[in-house]
Amino acid sequence: MFSVDVGQEERGTVLVLRGELDFDSAVQLDEAARTCPGAGDGAGLVVADLAALTFCDSSGISALLRLYRHLAAQGRTLGLAAVPSTVRRRFALTGLDQIFLVHADVHEALAAGPAGPDTAPEAGAPARQNRKESA
């Protein structure tokens, strides 16, 4: 079972991903991206909280990459928080750890804020990574 809860914080939007992100559930993340608060206004940070993610296969990784590209095309930034070690390992093996902004938790991601104008990633371009993630 997979779910995405969308919440609005003062400094950005938080997507809480729970359960198994795989081929069957990736569509839910895609839908959340389309209905994300602030969509289309080109402003803001979106944080995907992965603390409650119990499984993520290659389809789930692809869904996260689509979310990143969708937000980047709007001039928005995606931060990932509390990334499980198995997912971090897949990011490292595929080079996606050089694209995603990774944070230890949601509070750190919101405090970091969106990438500045000189560091904001273009669609498909690598983002800088916050290496202060927990082990």
Side-chain angles (χ1 to χ4, degrees):
M1 180 64 80
F2 178 77
S3 67
V4 180
D5 295 325
V6 181
Q8 188 64 42
E9 299 285 333
E10 183 178 328
R11 300 198 66 182
T13 302
V14 178
L15 305 176
V16 180
L17 283 58
R18 290 188 173 89
E20 299 181 357
L21 180 55
D22 57 19
F23 180 79
D24 293 326
S25 61
V27 67
Q28 290 175 263
L29 183 55
D30 293 338
E31 181 61 29
R34 286 191 292 277
T35 62
C36 191
D41 68 8
L45 170 67
V46 176
V47 176
D49 180 359
L50 308 185
L53 196 65
T54 59
F55 176 79
C56 185
D57 68 5
S58 60
S59 296
I61 299 285
S62 293
L64 289 169
L65 192 54
R66 282 192 305 276
L67 175 61
Y68 165 83
R69 288 180 176 155
H70 174 78
L71 294 170
Q74 296 177 3
R76 301 181 77 187
T77 301
L78 174 65
L80 302 180
V83 179
S85 61
T86 56
V87 177
R88 272 197 322 260
R89 178 164 162 67
R90 285 190 177 111
F91 287 171
L93 290 172
T94 59
L96 292 174
D97 60 341
Q98 300 302 308
I99 293 176
F100 290 120
L101 295 169
V102 177
H103 303 276
D105 57 37
V106 171
H107 298 295
E108 180 183 290
L110 290 171
D118 58 334
T119 60
E122 298 176 19
R128 59 187 169 80
Q129 180 182 3
N130 183 334
R131 298 212 180 256
K132 293 182 180 178
E133 56 191 75
S134 61

